[in-house]
Amino acid sequence: MNTRVLIILALVIAAIAGWFFKQQGEIAPPVSIAPTEVDYEATDIQAVQTNEQGETEYELNAESLSHDPNTNQDVMSGITMNWQPSAEQLYRITSGTATLNQETGDLHLYGGFSLASEDQAKTTQSGEKIAPITVTGEALKGNTKSRQVYSEQPVQVVQGSNRFEAATMKADLETGEYEFGQVAVMFTPAERQDKALF
């Protein structure tokens, strides 16, 4: 082949390539990725927190976790927490979403929560077994270091066959003491049964 044929062939290929690229239209600008506020993320979390004596204080399972370095908070979704603030008290906490500050211990559960005291075979003075308490609501705040939790939103409380609603709730999880505000109870008396006295 002579060089003239090669030059003409190269020009034809360049013309076809130019026409092809012109038909494709404008090239979109490259995607810009903004810096994120998250410095790490993880899924399927299983964590254990111990106290100063090395005893397990709580076990935490979460579907996902991300850490925000600006607020130093862990944001978790789909959490289940088994919390034992003292030898006598054990709680199971579930929530849709939660934030936890590891340094301060501040905990905020939202997207619905359930706080259930686990059965520790507690009995009354007469020997009857005490039913565990389950508190459910929309949001719960607390502190893992002080072992205090509270809700400023309405909660539903169930203990055995007893049920009531309260506008607010405070609890000391170490002692198992609860305080409820503006309690609403529905009372259904037993049906009247007429009996002859004689």
Side-chain angles (χ1 to χ4, degrees), residues 25 29 35 40 48 60 93 108 117 132 136 140 147 150-151 176 195 198:
Y40 60 83
V48 175
L60 177 70
I93 301 170
H108 181 196
S117 63
T136 57
L140 183 73
R147 299 171 175 94
Y150 65 95
S151 178
K195 292 183 180 179
F198 303 101

Side-chain angles (χ1 to χ4, degrees), residues 13-34:
I13 291 173
I16 292 173
W19 175 83
F20 178 75
F21 285 114
K22 186 177 180 186
Q23 296 299 321
Q24 295 301 314
E26 301 253 344
I27 296 175
V31 176
S32 63
I33 300 175

Side-chain angles (χ1 to χ4, degrees), residues 46-109:
Q46 293 180 339
V48 175
Q49 176 69 42
T50 58
N51 59 21
E52 292 81 20
Q53 291 77 33
E55 301 164 338
T56 300
E57 190 168 308
Y58 64 82
E59 297 174 0
L60 177 70
N61 295 316
E63 293 173 4
S64 67
L65 175 142
S66 60
H67 182 261
D68 185 343
N70 297 328
T71 60
N72 196 28
Q73 287 190 337
D74 294 328
V75 180
M76 299 168 281
S77 65
I79 74 157
T80 301
M81 182 177 186
N82 293 321
W83 189 359
Q84 188 163 6
S86 69
E88 298 81 28
Q89 304 297 328
L90 176 62
Y91 300 91
R92 183 173 183 86
I93 301 170
T94 58
S95 178
T97 309
T99 59
L100 175 64
N101 186 314
Q102 292 288 343
E103 289 180 13
T104 64
D106 290 334
L107 176 68
H108 181 196
L109 307 173

